[in-house]
Amino acid sequence: MALYKPSMDVMVDSINRLNKLDLVVAEYVWSAPAEVTPAVGLLNTSIKITAKNQQSAYAGEMTLRYHRNPLSDLATQVELIVPVKELNTTKDIIDAMNKRFGTVFTAEDIVVRDLTTEEKVVGTPIQLDAVPTSLAWIGSTMVGTRTGGLILGDYLKNTRLNGLNYPSPTTTRPYAQIYSYWRNMSTSYNQLKDIVVGTDQLSIIRDVLAFQTNDPWLLTGSGRYSLQGAEVTAVGLCRDNPDISNTKYDFFIKVRLSDTYSIGLTGDLTLHFDEPVIQA
Amino acid sequence: MNTNSERMIIVLNDMFNPPKEFTDKRLAFSVPQPTTENDRNTLVTISGIPGRGYYGEVDVYYNRMDIAEYAPDFAFRSLTELNRDALTQALINLFKIQINPEDFVAFEPPVLADGESTELTMAIEENSLQWFGSITAALSFGPSWLDSVIGNADLDIYKHPNTVLNKQSARMWTWGADFSGIQAALKPNAKGDYTDWALVQSVCRRMGIPDFLKGKVVDRATADVPDANPAFQRVFIQTAVTSGQLAGALYFHYNPA
């Protein structure tokens, strides 16, 4: 049950309660509501009920008076801005209002129409008009819209995530820097100390990597640990290059892996090492 | 509904200012008599009930009403209730008169079969202070006429959730919102307040809900609260809401984590 109750239920309940009757809606013809002019107090509407046939519990006809609410009253009840997912017809607004505010509007209460191109832009106020034969409502009102009412589960459908890819740009290949950043390769100082920028000394790099990591590094061919197409792009002192190296160490060598042949790692390997202290 | 004597008391009290404070505990009425004196059709003797403030008797002249003038052509149809109470109620509904079943001489309800009809004379009791005469009712067996059973044709319906002037409905503001995400903050603490009022307040402000003061909050199943939103399982309710712009209780619906 919503905050507002279905109009016909309210009407029949009221007739029955006030007069100690048990009218059944289906046994009577309910006329279209008519305006009472001038209104008698709050009574601005009349409706005529007529018995349908001999099977009706009561016979004849009767005119009742009651109060129809202007739609504009709603703006006195609450700030009329509804969250909407998409906007095509006024029914989208009606549904959103029913869900958000506890109204029970149907197509018999509010004119369902296609929205104009301008109105379909979320945030544009939309005019709702009461259907002239609406039992409980008259007039019109403006309703604002905002994006919302999105159910997380409707949108976040794939719940099996690929993992955090920072700082690798791809989801399947970890960033090479992570693989090498923390490794202390000082025990290979003698081999690494003379490495220069270029591709000439990759075999030394391969030997050191294989020794330091115990992974099967290759010079040729594509593979998880491949140096084919790789290039030493920088060598130097870590303290001078804190942005690209681990300053815990003295020296670094940066090796750009090939995007084509290195199918296990991506980006730059950074090899760090210190000059070992020779024990006397 | 007022009885005849109560209506007479009202008439008597209306006559005098300052009022004489007549009540039916203090006055008794005789059986009314037809008369032509004083240009009135009825004479009744009113006597003070001893020990209640007034004593003695006064003859009062007034006009009783002829039922035949007020309720001509009375036809009544019913499937179940061809009795004095139902007939009187139908007279009230149809002719908008004030009359009580006791104003009529008791009669045996006729027994009619489907389609049968009869005429019944309904005579006013001689001690009726308000009415005299009689009418002939055309009774038949069948569905009652709607206008004879619906006396209250002005319906007091289609109310908004809030009827306090210049305030908005607190319940409409939060009706469809899912507060499951802050249920720990809404939960009543040992004092019955919100556990984390600062968070509740900031969320409500972010939603645009007008400011309100915190108050006692209770936790209920929506099934137990007739006006709660059944789309949710439970609801925190702040019944007493102090606010410049909101009226009524605040409902925070949620589904338990």
Side-chain angles (χ1 to χ4, degrees):
Chain A
M1 196 65 87
L3 267 183
Y4 290 86
K5 316 294 180 210
S7 312
M8 186 52 97
D9 293 358
V10 173
M11 175 161 295
V12 175
D13 287 351
S14 174
I15 297 171
N16 286 343
R17 187 170 33 81
L18 286 173
N19 298 288
K20 301 184 177 63
L21 299 178
D22 51 359
L23 292 190
V24 177
V25 174
E27 292 182 355
Y28 305 89
V29 177
W30 301 75
S31 78
E35 197 177 339
V36 171
T37 44
V40 180
L42 279 176
L43 304 170
N44 60 9
T45 306
S46 70
I47 188 170
K48 189 162 86 175
I49 60 173
T50 311
K52 262 185 189 165
N53 51 41
Q54 290 299 312
Q55 272 64 52
S56 305
Y58 301 98
E61 59 183 39
M62 182 76 197
T63 300
L64 306 158
R65 294 190 300 187
Y66 66 98
H67 175 68
R68 266 187 302 180
N69 286 314
L71 280 175
S72 54
D73 273 8
L74 287 171
T76 68
Q77 295 289 306
V78 75
E79 189 182 27
L80 277 186
I81 297 177
V82 287
V84 287
K85 282 183 270 194
E86 56 176 352
L87 284 170
N88 293 311
T89 69
T90 49
K91 184 165 188 310
D92 296 325
I93 304 288
I94 297 172
D95 291 346
M97 289 180 78
N98 288 349
K99 196 170 170 193
R100 184 77 183 81
F101 299 132
T103 50
V104 285
F105 291 131
T106 66
E108 291 171 359
D109 292 314
I110 291 183
V111 177
V112 173
R113 63 177 171 87
D114 290 336
L115 298 178
T116 63
T117 312
E118 295 78 46
E119 287 175 326
K120 284 182 185 173
V121 178
V122 173
T124 312
I126 292 166
Q127 180 168 330
L128 295 184
D129 299 304
V131 174
T133 54
S134 169
L135 207 51
W137 298 95
I138 50 175
S140 61
T141 191
M142 300 299 286
V143 179
T145 60
R146 64 175 167 81
T147 305
L150 310 176
I151 298 168
L152 194 56
D154 289 351
Y155 291 81
L156 209 169
K157 283 186 169 159
N158 190 347
T159 54
R160 186 170 164 271
L161 307 182
N162 287 322
L164 300 175
N165 66 359
Y166 176 83
S168 165
T170 76
T171 54
T172 55
R173 293 187 298 173
Y175 200 40
Q177 190 173 4
I178 302 295
Y179 173 84
S180 61
Y181 192 81
W182 53 276
R183 294 178 196 267
N184 181 355
M185 301 194 180
S186 301
T187 50
S188 301
Y189 172 76
N190 287 332
Q191 290 152 283
L192 295 173
K193 67 182 168 56
D194 296 325
I195 298 286
V196 293
V197 169
T199 57
D200 296 343
Q201 296 158 309
L202 286 175
S203 62
I204 300 173
I205 303 279
R206 189 210 76 85
D207 291 347
V208 170
L209 280 171
F211 171 70
Q212 293 288 348
T213 65
N214 280 328
D215 287 330
W217 282 91
L218 303 170
L219 266 180
T220 56
S222 62
R224 184 160 171 76
Y225 303 105
S226 172
L227 287 175
Q228 172 140 10
E231 180 187 358
V232 175
T233 55
V235 297
L237 289 168
C238 293
R239 65 169 180 270
D240 293 341
N241 297 280
D243 292 343
I244 59 169
S245 65
N246 186 345
T247 53
K248 205 172 104 184
Y249 301 102
D250 291 340
F251 308 102
F252 76 94
I253 297 170
K254 198 166 270 296
V255 182
R256 167 73 40 86
L257 296 172
S258 159
D259 263 356
T260 313
Y261 296 103
S262 171
I263 59 174
L265 299 169
T266 185
D268 295 340
L269 282 170
T270 316
L271 282 55
H272 295 96
F273 56 101
D274 294 329
E275 185 175 357
V277 177
I278 307 298
Q279 298 288 319
Chain B
M1 180 166 288
N2 291 330
T3 62
N4 277 208
S5 58
E6 283 166 348
R7 285 184 210 116
M8 284 293 285
I9 299 282
I10 292 168
V11 171
L12 284 169
N13 280 325
D14 281 350
M15 297 274 299
F16 302 103
N17 191 14
K20 305 291 185 193
E21 297 180 7
F22 296 129
T23 70
D24 57 357
K25 300 279 188 299
R26 298 176 145 191
L27 302 183
F29 298 91
S30 72
V31 174
Q33 303 295 327
T35 182
T36 53
E37 285 182 58
N38 289 327
D39 202 19
R40 298 288 187 269
N41 66 21
T42 305
L43 161 68
V44 70
T45 304
I46 301 177
S47 49
I49 297 174
R52 300 278 172 82
Y54 293 100
Y55 67 93
E57 292 182 351
V58 176
D59 286 346
V60 169
Y61 297 85
Y62 70 104
N63 281 330
R64 278 186 297 172
M65 296 177 288
D66 183 353
I67 185 70
E69 281 181 24
Y70 285 82
D73 299 331
F74 176 46
F76 184 75
R77 200 162 78 172
S78 177
L79 291 166
T80 53
E81 296 183 284
L82 289 170
N83 56 43
R84 192 173 68 166
D85 285 359
L87 282 164
T88 310
Q89 189 59 48
L91 281 171
I92 294 167
N93 293 342
L94 285 167
F95 302 107
K96 312 296 175 205
I97 55 177
Q98 290 187 320
I99 195 163
N100 301 78
E102 299 74 33
D103 284 322
F104 290 104
V105 178
F107 58 86
E108 281 296 311
V111 178
L112 298 176
D114 197 0
E116 281 185 3
S117 59
T118 187
E119 288 198 336
L120 174 77
T121 300
M122 297 174 68
I124 296 291
E125 274 277 1
E126 65 167 4
N127 63 2
S128 171
L129 287 167
Q130 191 174 2
W131 297 97
F132 71 95
S134 68
I135 50 171
T136 303
L139 304 186
S140 50
F141 182 89
S144 301
W145 303 107
L146 279 169
D147 55 2
S148 71
V149 292
I150 297 181
N152 298 301
D154 291 343
L155 310 177
D156 183 19
I157 50 175
Y158 302 140
K159 299 275 181 58
H160 293 296
N162 169 48
T163 51
V164 181
L165 204 60
N166 298 325
K167 292 206 180 183
Q168 295 184 326
S169 166
R171 283 186 302 163
M172 276 183 86
W173 264 105
T174 60
W175 173 260
D178 183 351
F179 288 91
S180 301
I182 60 162
Q183 55 187 280
L186 288 161
K187 203 173 157 205
N189 59 21
K191 288 192 292 182
D193 288 338
Y194 297 106
T195 295
D196 186 349
W197 166 239
L199 179 61
V200 172
Q201 195 174 31
S202 81
V203 167
C204 288
R205 280 180 177 160
R206 207 158 60 218
M207 289 174 68
I209 298 174
D211 276 355
F212 59 96
L213 299 180
K214 69 174 177 176
K216 293 266 186 262
V217 59
V218 292
D219 184 8
R220 294 272 182 275
T222 52
D224 299 337
V225 184
D227 276 340
N229 187 341
F232 300 94
Q233 293 173 37
R234 298 195 67 85
V235 58
F236 292 110
I237 302 173
Q238 182 182 336
T239 311
V241 174
T242 308
S243 165
Q245 287 165 271
L246 292 179
L250 266 164
Y251 285 28
F252 297 103
H253 296 95
Y254 75 103
N255 293 316

PDB file of all heavy atoms in Angstrom, chain A residues 230-244:
ATOM      1  N   ALA A 230      64.086  -6.017 -26.965  1.00  0.00           N
ATOM      2  CA  ALA A 230      64.247  -5.122 -25.817  1.00  0.00           C
ATOM      3  C   ALA A 230      65.415  -4.174 -26.043  1.00  0.00           C
ATOM      4  O   ALA A 230      66.231  -4.370 -26.943  1.00  0.00           O
ATOM      5  CB  ALA A 230      64.449  -5.923 -24.547  1.00  0.00           C
ATOM      6  N   GLU A 231      65.465  -3.106 -25.191  1.00  0.00           N
ATOM      7  CA  GLU A 231      66.512  -2.112 -25.368  1.00  0.00           C
ATOM      8  C   GLU A 231      66.788  -1.469 -24.016  1.00  0.00           C
ATOM      9  O   GLU A 231      65.847  -1.187 -23.260  1.00  0.00           O
ATOM     10  CB  GLU A 231      66.010  -1.039 -26.355  1.00  0.00           C
ATOM     11  CG  GLU A 231      67.008   0.061 -26.628  1.00  0.00           C
ATOM     12  CD  GLU A 231      66.419   1.196 -27.461  1.00  0.00           C
ATOM     13  OE1 GLU A 231      65.225   1.085 -27.845  1.00  0.00           O
ATOM     14  OE2 GLU A 231      67.120   2.185 -27.694  1.00  0.00           O
ATOM     15  N   VAL A 232      68.081  -1.280 -23.733  1.00  0.00           N
ATOM     16  CA  VAL A 232      68.425  -0.549 -22.511  1.00  0.00           C
ATOM     17  C   VAL A 232      68.189   0.937 -22.804  1.00  0.00           C
ATOM     18  O   VAL A 232      68.784   1.498 -23.716  1.00  0.00           O
ATOM     19  CB  VAL A 232      69.893  -0.800 -22.104  1.00  0.00           C
ATOM     20  CG1 VAL A 232      70.255   0.076 -20.894  1.00  0.00           C
ATOM     21  CG2 VAL A 232      70.117  -2.274 -21.789  1.00  0.00           C
ATOM     22  N   THR A 233      67.290   1.558 -22.076  1.00  0.00           N
ATOM     23  CA  THR A 233      66.928   2.947 -22.404  1.00  0.00           C
ATOM     24  C   THR A 233      67.575   3.953 -21.473  1.00  0.00           C
ATOM     25  O   THR A 233      67.625   5.134 -21.789  1.00  0.00           O
ATOM     26  CB  THR A 233      65.402   3.139 -22.335  1.00  0.00           C
ATOM     27  OG1 THR A 233      64.960   2.712 -21.043  1.00  0.00           O
ATOM     28  CG2 THR A 233      64.690   2.359 -23.412  1.00  0.00           C
ATOM     29  N   ALA A 234      68.041   3.493 -20.314  1.00  0.00           N
ATOM     30  CA  ALA A 234      68.676   4.432 -19.408  1.00  0.00           C
ATOM     31  C   ALA A 234      69.535   3.688 -18.400  1.00  0.00           C
ATOM     32  O   ALA A 234      69.206   2.565 -18.006  1.00  0.00           O
ATOM     33  CB  ALA A 234      67.621   5.267 -18.665  1.00  0.00           C
ATOM     34  N   VAL A 235      70.654   4.284 -18.038  1.00  0.00           N
ATOM     35  CA  VAL A 235      71.450   3.777 -16.937  1.00  0.00           C
ATOM     36  C   VAL A 235      71.855   4.987 -16.112  1.00  0.00           C
ATOM     37  O   VAL A 235      71.880   6.111 -16.619  1.00  0.00           O
ATOM     38  CB  VAL A 235      72.718   3.026 -17.420  1.00  0.00           C
ATOM     39  CG1 VAL A 235      72.338   1.812 -18.218  1.00  0.00           C
ATOM     40  CG2 VAL A 235      73.620   3.964 -18.224  1.00  0.00           C
ATOM     41  N   GLY A 236      72.128   4.799 -14.830  1.00  0.00           N
ATOM     42  CA  GLY A 236      72.556   5.962 -14.081  1.00  0.00           C
ATOM     43  C   GLY A 236      72.451   5.770 -12.586  1.00  0.00           C
ATOM     44  O   GLY A 236      72.281   4.653 -12.085  1.00  0.00           O
ATOM     45  N   LEU A 237      72.560   6.910 -11.888  1.00  0.00           N
ATOM     46  CA  LEU A 237      72.492   6.914 -10.430  1.00  0.00           C
ATOM     47  C   LEU A 237      71.033   7.116  -9.997  1.00  0.00           C
ATOM     48  O   LEU A 237      70.342   8.006 -10.505  1.00  0.00           O
ATOM     49  CB  LEU A 237      73.341   8.060  -9.869  1.00  0.00           C
ATOM     50  CG  LEU A 237      74.860   7.897  -9.994  1.00  0.00           C
ATOM     51  CD1 LEU A 237      75.556   9.224  -9.666  1.00  0.00           C
ATOM     52  CD2 LEU A 237      75.343   6.784  -9.055  1.00  0.00           C
ATOM     53  N   CYS A 238      70.631   6.291  -9.061  1.00  0.00           N
ATOM     54  CA  CYS A 238      69.226   6.387  -8.614  1.00  0.00           C
ATOM     55  C   CYS A 238      68.937   7.754  -7.994  1.00  0.00           C
ATOM     56  O   CYS A 238      67.867   8.324  -8.197  1.00  0.00           O
ATOM     57  CB  CYS A 238      68.925   5.287  -7.604  1.00  0.00           C
ATOM     58  SG  CYS A 238      68.982   3.645  -8.314  1.00  0.00           S
ATOM     59  N   ARG A 239      69.887   8.301  -7.244  1.00  0.00           N
ATOM     60  CA  ARG A 239      69.616   9.560  -6.552  1.00  0.00           C
ATOM     61  C   ARG A 239      69.386  10.706  -7.522  1.00  0.00           C
ATOM     62  O   ARG A 239      68.755  11.688  -7.187  1.00  0.00           O
ATOM     63  CB  ARG A 239      70.734   9.889  -5.555  1.00  0.00           C
ATOM     64  CG  ARG A 239      72.086  10.155  -6.181  1.00  0.00           C
ATOM     65  CD  ARG A 239      73.040  10.742  -5.125  1.00  0.00           C
ATOM     66  NE  ARG A 239      74.346  11.000  -5.702  1.00  0.00           N
ATOM     67  CZ  ARG A 239      75.353  10.122  -5.741  1.00  0.00           C
ATOM     68  NH1 ARG A 239      75.180   8.908  -5.239  1.00  0.00           N
ATOM     69  NH2 ARG A 239      76.520  10.449  -6.285  1.00  0.00           N
ATOM     70  N   ASP A 240      69.890  10.556  -8.749  1.00  0.00           N
ATOM     71  CA  ASP A 240      69.655  11.599  -9.757  1.00  0.00           C
ATOM     72  C   ASP A 240      68.341  11.363 -10.505  1.00  0.00           C
ATOM     73  O   ASP A 240      67.883  12.245 -11.231  1.00  0.00           O
ATOM     74  CB  ASP A 240      70.796  11.620 -10.781  1.00  0.00           C
ATOM     75  CG  ASP A 240      72.103  12.073 -10.130  1.00  0.00           C
ATOM     76  OD1 ASP A 240      72.015  12.700  -9.040  1.00  0.00           O
ATOM     77  OD2 ASP A 240      73.166  11.784 -10.687  1.00  0.00           O
ATOM     78  N   ASN A 241      67.796  10.173 -10.382  1.00  0.00           N
ATOM     79  CA  ASN A 241      66.573   9.847 -11.143  1.00  0.00           C
ATOM     80  C   ASN A 241      65.512   9.237 -10.223  1.00  0.00           C
ATOM     81  O   ASN A 241      65.067   8.108 -10.420  1.00  0.00           O
ATOM     82  CB  ASN A 241      66.914   8.847 -12.253  1.00  0.00           C
ATOM     83  CG  ASN A 241      67.889   9.429 -13.266  1.00  0.00           C
ATOM     84  OD1 ASN A 241      67.505  10.176 -14.153  1.00  0.00           O
ATOM     85  ND2 ASN A 241      69.162   9.095 -13.090  1.00  0.00           N
ATOM     86  N   PRO A 242      65.137   9.958  -9.191  1.00  0.00           N
ATOM     87  CA  PRO A 242      64.220   9.368  -8.197  1.00  0.00           C
ATOM     88  C   PRO A 242      62.840   9.019  -8.775  1.00  0.00           C
ATOM     89  O   PRO A 242      62.127   8.195  -8.212  1.00  0.00           O
ATOM     90  CB  PRO A 242      64.115  10.450  -7.123  1.00  0.00           C
ATOM     91  CG  PRO A 242      64.471  11.725  -7.818  1.00  0.00           C
ATOM     92  CD  PRO A 242      65.445  11.364  -8.890  1.00  0.00           C
ATOM     93  N   ASP A 243      62.498   9.637  -9.901  1.00  0.00           N
ATOM     94  CA  ASP A 243      61.160   9.362 -10.455  1.00  0.00           C
ATOM     95  C   ASP A 243      61.076   8.000 -11.126  1.00  0.00           C
ATOM     96  O   ASP A 243      59.988   7.423 -11.224  1.00  0.00           O
ATOM     97  CB  ASP A 243      60.788  10.434 -11.494  1.00  0.00           C
ATOM     98  CG  ASP A 243      60.591  11.790 -10.825  1.00  0.00           C
ATOM     99  OD1 ASP A 243      60.431  11.796  -9.584  1.00  0.00           O
ATOM    100  OD2 ASP A 243      60.592  12.802 -11.545  1.00  0.00           O
ATOM    101  N   ILE A 244      62.192   7.517 -11.631  1.00  0.00           N
ATOM    102  CA  ILE A 244      62.132   6.260 -12.386  1.00  0.00           C
ATOM    103  C   ILE A 244      62.918   5.139 -11.730  1.00  0.00           C
ATOM    104  O   ILE A 244      63.044   4.071 -12.290  1.00  0.00           O
ATOM    105  CB  ILE A 244      62.629   6.468 -13.844  1.00  0.00           C
ATOM    106  CG1 ILE A 244      64.082   6.999 -13.838  1.00  0.00           C
ATOM    107  CG2 ILE A 244      61.700   7.390 -14.625  1.00  0.00           C
ATOM    108  CD1 ILE A 244      64.719   6.958 -15.221  1.00  0.00           C
TER     109      ILE A 244
END
